[in-house]
Amino acid sequence: MAIFASLPKRVTIVEVAPRDGLQNEAAVISTQAKVRFIDALSDAGFPVVEVTSFVSARSIPQLADAQDVLRAIARKAGVRYPVLVPNMKGFERAREAGATDIAIFTAASETFNRRNINAGILESIERYQPVVRCAKEEHIGVRGYISTSFGCPYEGEIAPTAVLDVAQHLIDMGVDEISIGDTIGVATPNDVIELCEVLLRRIAAGRLALHLHDTRGTALANVLAGMQAGIAIFDSSAGGLGGCPYAPGAAGNLASEDLLYMLEGMGIETGVSLPAVVAASASLAGQLNHPLTSKYFQASQR
Ligand code: HMG
Ligand code: MG
């Protein structure tokens, strides 16, 4: 007998390790190694692989080779390859390198947004207007991130209505999908249900994703809560890589391997091969100066 009757039959996983993971690594990873990692992830079956960021090299030196990476990957039919852009300059660099999907990123907390992209929330929304307009004209898909949706390292707890306000601005601007970020991994399942209920009153479930960092070990429980609330798009990161240099204390993202193991065990389809993800993570692991945090990955290496 199914215990969780209301769960989706299929979930879309957005693989973010090449961007959220590699933006946070101290070790220098070569462009070639990044490209191999991304190609291995799209070969593993992820329908979306977030490739890199077209941000200031002073802010994120790890991704300064964004154009070379995006140009060199082997694009698979049916796979989307979004890249982060913080402003018009980023959009133009991304477009030159052939981006067909972008992600803009703002936050539910004023202080975090200032530290991260040197703009207040409304200021960033203004800054993104021309970016989204140009993207739409060129049929480039647009995702919008809302960081610190559950808590901020500088301001503490964030009210669901604050997230809804930002989400409404993004929807009005024309973004296709909104990813709700638990940037510092503070959410528990009740918080997820509460926020999803507030958002789902105005926004269709098919346009909402959850982006969970696993700082306090609640990410998988939060996926379950999200699925029960009606969400079927989740961001995760091979090996559990990830973090944000502007969010002190943030740990890695929910690990793709751990998410896949849970979903497979529950009979929920993803189209992704778990052994292929483990192989992709293993090929990168030797180049990092720390072990990978994914529990499933660790168990698979014993
Ligand atoms: P700023 O200093 O206000 O920008 O930074 P500016 O417009 O005054 O320009 C300053 C310099 O940066 C200039 O160069 C610009 O040309 C250059 P200079 O004349 O001094 O040599 N510049 C750029 N270079 C390349 N690409 C660009 C670009 N823009 C300006 N696009 C800015 C503002 C937004 C640029 C900066 O703060 C920045 O790049 N921030 C990015 C921070 C970041 O990437 N954070 C991590 C990603 S967000 C995240 O991880 C959270 C998420 O995972 C969800 C979650 O977990 O919640 C998405
Ligand atoms: Mg993140």
Side-chain angles (χ1 to χ4, degrees), residues 137-182:
E137 278 168 17
E138 296 178 29
H139 307 289
I140 290 174
V142 185
R143 164 178 250 227
Y145 278 104
I146 307 178
S147 288
T148 62
S149 289
F150 297 91
C152 167
Y154 311 105
E155 293 183 17
E157 223 170 281
I158 297 290
T161 48
V163 183
L164 178 62
D165 279 352
V166 182
Q168 192 63 57
H169 280 298
L170 292 174
I171 292 286
D172 293 347
M173 206 191 293
V175 306
D176 304 305
E177 179 177 297
I178 296 180
S179 182
I180 301 299
D182 186 10

Coordinates of all heavy atoms in Angstrom, one line a residue, residues 137-182:
E137 N 12.7 38.0 -26.3 CA 12.7 38.3 -27.7 C 13.5 37.2 -28.5 O 13.2 37.0 -29.6 CB 13.4 39.7 -27.9 CG 12.4 40.8 -27.7 CD 13.2 42.2 -27.7 OE1 14.3 42.3 -28.1 OE2 12.6 43.1 -27.1
E138 N 14.5 36.7 -27.8 CA 15.4 35.7 -28.5 C 15.0 34.2 -28.1 O 15.8 33.3 -28.4 CB 16.8 36.0 -28.1 CG 17.2 37.3 -28.7 CD 18.6 37.8 -28.4 OE1 19.5 36.9 -28.2 OE2 18.8 39.0 -28.3
H139 N 13.8 34.1 -27.5 CA 13.3 32.7 -27.1 C 14.3 32.0 -26.2 O 14.5 30.8 -26.3 CB 13.0 31.9 -28.4 CG 12.1 32.6 -29.3 ND1 10.7 32.8 -29.0 CD2 12.3 33.2 -30.5 CE1 10.2 33.5 -30.0 NE2 11.1 33.8 -30.9
I140 N 15.0 32.8 -25.4 CA 15.9 32.2 -24.4 C 15.0 32.0 -23.1 O 14.3 32.9 -22.6 CB 17.1 33.1 -24.1 CG1 18.0 33.2 -25.3 CG2 17.8 32.8 -22.8 CD1 19.1 34.1 -25.3
G141 N 15.1 30.7 -22.5 CA 14.3 30.4 -21.3 C 14.9 31.2 -20.1 O 16.1 31.4 -20.0
V142 N 14.0 31.6 -19.2 CA 14.4 32.3 -18.0 C 13.9 31.7 -16.7 O 12.7 31.5 -16.5 CB 14.0 33.8 -18.0 CG1 14.6 34.6 -16.9 CG2 14.3 34.5 -19.4
R143 N 14.9 31.4 -15.9 CA 14.5 30.9 -14.5 C 14.9 32.0 -13.6 O 15.9 32.8 -13.8 CB 15.4 29.7 -14.2 CG 15.5 29.2 -12.8 CD 16.3 28.0 -12.7 NE 15.4 26.9 -12.3 CZ 15.7 26.0 -11.4 NH1 16.9 26.1 -10.7 NH2 14.9 25.0 -11.0
G144 N 14.2 32.2 -12.5 CA 14.5 33.2 -11.5 C 14.7 32.5 -10.1 O 13.8 31.8 -9.6
Y145 N 15.8 32.8 -9.5 CA 16.1 32.3 -8.2 C 15.7 33.3 -7.1 O 16.0 34.5 -7.3 CB 17.6 32.0 -8.0 CG 18.1 30.7 -8.5 CD1 18.9 30.7 -9.7 CD2 18.0 29.5 -7.9 CE1 19.4 29.6 -10.2 CE2 18.5 28.4 -8.3 CZ 19.2 28.4 -9.5 OH 19.8 27.2 -10.0
I146 N 15.1 32.8 -6.0 CA 14.9 33.6 -4.9 C 15.7 33.0 -3.7 O 15.3 32.0 -3.1 CB 13.4 33.8 -4.4 CG1 12.6 34.2 -5.6 CG2 13.3 34.8 -3.3 CD1 11.1 34.3 -5.4
S147 N 16.9 33.6 -3.4 CA 17.7 33.1 -2.3 C 17.2 33.5 -1.0 O 16.3 34.4 -0.9 CB 19.1 33.7 -2.5 OG 19.8 33.1 -3.6
T148 N 17.7 32.9 0.0 CA 17.3 33.1 1.5 C 15.8 33.1 1.7 O 15.2 33.9 2.4 CB 17.9 34.5 2.0 OG1 17.3 35.6 1.2 CG2 19.4 34.5 1.9
S149 N 15.1 32.2 1.0 CA 13.6 32.1 1.1 C 13.2 31.6 2.5 O 12.0 31.8 2.8 CB 13.1 31.2 0.0 OG 13.2 31.9 -1.2
F150 N 14.0 31.0 3.2 CA 13.6 30.5 4.5 C 14.4 31.2 5.7 O 13.9 31.3 6.8 CB 13.8 29.0 4.6 CG 13.0 28.2 3.7 CD1 13.4 27.9 2.4 CD2 11.7 27.8 4.0 CE1 12.7 27.2 1.5 CE2 10.9 27.1 3.1 CZ 11.4 26.8 1.8
G151 N 15.6 31.7 5.3 CA 16.3 32.3 6.4 C 17.6 33.0 5.8 O 18.0 32.5 4.7
C152 N 18.0 34.0 6.4 CA 19.2 34.8 5.9 C 20.3 34.8 6.9 O 20.0 35.0 8.1 CB 18.7 36.2 5.6 SG 20.0 37.4 5.3
P153 N 21.5 34.7 6.4 CA 22.6 34.7 7.4 C 22.8 36.0 8.1 O 23.4 36.1 9.2 CB 23.9 34.4 6.5 CG 23.5 34.7 5.1 CD 22.0 34.5 5.1
Y154 N 22.2 37.1 7.6 CA 22.3 38.4 8.2 C 21.0 38.9 8.8 O 21.1 39.6 9.8 CB 22.7 39.5 7.1 CG 23.9 39.0 6.2 CD1 23.7 38.6 4.9 CD2 25.2 39.0 6.7 CE1 24.8 38.1 4.1 CE2 26.2 38.6 6.0 CZ 26.0 38.1 4.7 OH 27.1 37.7 3.9
E155 N 19.9 38.5 8.3 CA 18.6 39.0 8.8 C 17.8 38.0 9.6 O 16.7 38.3 10.1 CB 17.8 39.6 7.6 CG 18.4 40.8 7.0 CD 17.5 41.4 5.9 OE1 16.3 41.1 5.8 OE2 18.0 42.2 5.1
G156 N 18.2 36.7 9.6 CA 17.4 35.7 10.3 C 16.3 35.2 9.5 O 16.3 35.1 8.3
E157 N 15.2 34.9 10.2 CA 14.0 34.3 9.6 C 13.4 35.2 8.5 O 13.4 36.4 8.7 CB 13.0 34.0 10.7 CG 12.3 32.7 10.6 CD 11.5 32.4 11.8 OE1 12.0 32.0 12.8 OE2 10.2 32.6 11.7
I158 N 12.8 34.6 7.5 CA 12.2 35.3 6.4 C 10.7 34.9 6.3 O 10.4 33.7 6.3 CB 12.9 35.0 5.1 CG1 14.4 35.5 5.1 CG2 12.2 35.7 3.9 CD1 14.6 37.0 5.1
A159 N 9.8 35.9 6.2 CA 8.4 35.6 6.2 C 8.0 35.1 4.8 O 8.5 35.6 3.8 CB 7.6 36.8 6.5
P160 N 7.1 34.1 4.7 CA 6.6 33.6 3.4 C 6.1 34.7 2.5 O 6.3 34.7 1.3 CB 5.6 32.6 3.8 CG 5.9 32.1 5.1 CD 6.6 33.2 5.8
T161 N 5.4 35.7 3.1 CA 4.9 36.8 2.3 C 6.0 37.6 1.6 O 5.8 38.1 0.5 CB 4.0 37.7 3.2 OG1 4.8 38.1 4.3 CG2 2.7 37.1 3.6
A162 N 7.2 37.7 2.2 CA 8.3 38.4 1.6 C 8.7 37.6 0.4 O 9.1 38.2 -0.7 CB 9.4 38.5 2.6
V163 N 8.7 36.3 0.4 CA 9.1 35.5 -0.7 C 8.0 35.6 -1.8 O 8.4 35.8 -3.0 CB 9.3 34.0 -0.3 CG1 9.7 33.2 -1.5 CG2 10.2 33.9 0.9
L164 N 6.8 35.6 -1.4 CA 5.7 35.7 -2.4 C 5.8 37.1 -3.2 O 5.6 37.1 -4.4 CB 4.3 35.6 -1.7 CG 3.1 35.8 -2.6 CD1 3.1 34.7 -3.7 CD2 1.8 35.8 -1.8
D165 N 6.1 38.1 -2.4 CA 6.3 39.5 -3.1 C 7.3 39.4 -4.2 O 7.1 39.9 -5.3 CB 6.7 40.5 -2.1 CG 5.6 41.1 -1.2 OD1 4.4 40.7 -1.6 OD2 5.8 41.8 -0.3
V166 N 8.5 38.8 -3.9 CA 9.5 38.8 -4.9 C 9.1 37.9 -6.0 O 9.3 38.2 -7.2 CB 10.9 38.2 -4.2 CG1 12.0 38.2 -5.3 CG2 11.3 39.1 -3.0
A167 N 8.5 36.7 -5.7 CA 8.0 35.8 -6.7 C 7.1 36.5 -7.7 O 7.1 36.3 -8.9 CB 7.4 34.6 -6.1
Q168 N 6.2 37.3 -7.1 CA 5.2 38.0 -8.0 C 5.9 38.9 -8.9 O 5.5 39.0 -10.1 CB 4.2 38.8 -7.1 CG 3.0 39.3 -7.8 CD 2.1 38.1 -8.4 OE1 1.7 37.2 -7.7 NE2 2.0 38.1 -9.7
H169 N 6.9 39.6 -8.4 CA 7.7 40.5 -9.3 C 8.3 39.7 -10.5 O 8.3 40.2 -11.6 CB 8.8 41.2 -8.6 CG 8.4 42.4 -7.8 ND1 7.9 43.5 -8.3 CD2 8.4 42.6 -6.4 CE1 7.6 44.4 -7.4 NE2 7.9 43.9 -6.2
L170 N 8.9 38.5 -10.1 CA 9.5 37.7 -11.2 C 8.5 37.2 -12.2 O 8.8 37.2 -13.4 CB 10.3 36.5 -10.5 CG 11.5 36.9 -9.7 CD1 12.0 35.7 -8.9 CD2 12.6 37.6 -10.5
I171 N 7.3 36.8 -11.7 CA 6.3 36.3 -12.6 C 5.8 37.5 -13.5 O 5.7 37.3 -14.7 CB 5.1 35.8 -11.8 CG1 5.5 34.5 -11.1 CG2 3.8 35.5 -12.7 CD1 5.6 33.2 -11.9
D172 N 5.6 38.6 -12.9 CA 5.2 39.8 -13.7 C 6.2 40.2 -14.8 O 5.9 40.6 -15.9 CB 5.0 41.0 -12.8 CG 3.8 40.8 -11.8 OD1 3.0 39.9 -12.1 OD2 3.7 41.6 -10.9
M173 N 7.5 39.9 -14.5 CA 8.5 40.3 -15.4 C 8.6 39.3 -16.5 O 9.1 39.5 -17.6 CB 9.9 40.2 -14.6 CG 11.0 41.0 -15.2 SD 12.5 40.6 -14.4 CE 12.3 41.1 -12.8
G174 N 8.0 38.1 -16.3 CA 8.0 37.1 -17.4 C 8.9 35.9 -17.2 O 9.1 35.1 -18.2
V175 N 9.4 35.6 -16.0 CA 10.3 34.4 -15.9 C 9.4 33.2 -16.0 O 8.2 33.2 -15.7 CB 11.0 34.4 -14.5 CG1 11.9 35.6 -14.3 CG2 10.1 34.1 -13.4
D176 N 10.0 32.1 -16.5 CA 9.2 30.9 -16.8 C 9.1 30.0 -15.5 O 8.1 29.4 -15.3 CB 10.0 30.0 -17.9 CG 10.2 30.8 -19.1 OD1 9.2 31.4 -19.7 OD2 11.4 31.0 -19.6
E177 N 10.2 30.0 -14.7 CA 10.2 29.1 -13.6 C 10.9 29.9 -12.4 O 11.8 30.6 -12.6 CB 11.0 27.9 -14.0 CG 11.1 26.9 -12.9 CD 11.9 25.6 -13.4 OE1 11.4 25.0 -14.3 OE2 13.0 25.4 -12.9
I178 N 10.4 29.6 -11.2 CA 11.1 30.2 -10.0 C 11.6 29.1 -9.1 O 11.0 28.1 -8.8 CB 10.0 31.0 -9.2 CG1 9.5 32.2 -10.1 CG2 10.6 31.6 -7.9 CD1 8.5 33.1 -9.4
S179 N 12.9 29.3 -8.7 CA 13.5 28.3 -7.8 C 13.7 29.0 -6.5 O 14.3 30.0 -6.3 CB 14.9 27.9 -8.4 OG 15.4 26.9 -7.5
I180 N 13.0 28.3 -5.5 CA 13.0 28.8 -4.1 C 14.2 28.3 -3.4 O 14.3 27.1 -3.1 CB 11.7 28.3 -3.4 CG1 10.4 28.8 -4.2 CG2 11.6 28.8 -2.0 CD1 10.3 30.3 -4.3
G181 N 15.1 29.2 -3.0 CA 16.4 28.8 -2.4 C 16.4 28.8 -0.9 O 16.1 29.8 -0.3
D182 N 16.8 27.6 -0.4 CA 17.1 27.6 1.1 C 18.6 27.7 1.1 O 19.4 26.7 1.3 CB 16.6 26.3 1.7 CG 16.8 26.3 3.2 OD1 17.2 27.4 3.8 OD2 16.7 25.3 3.9

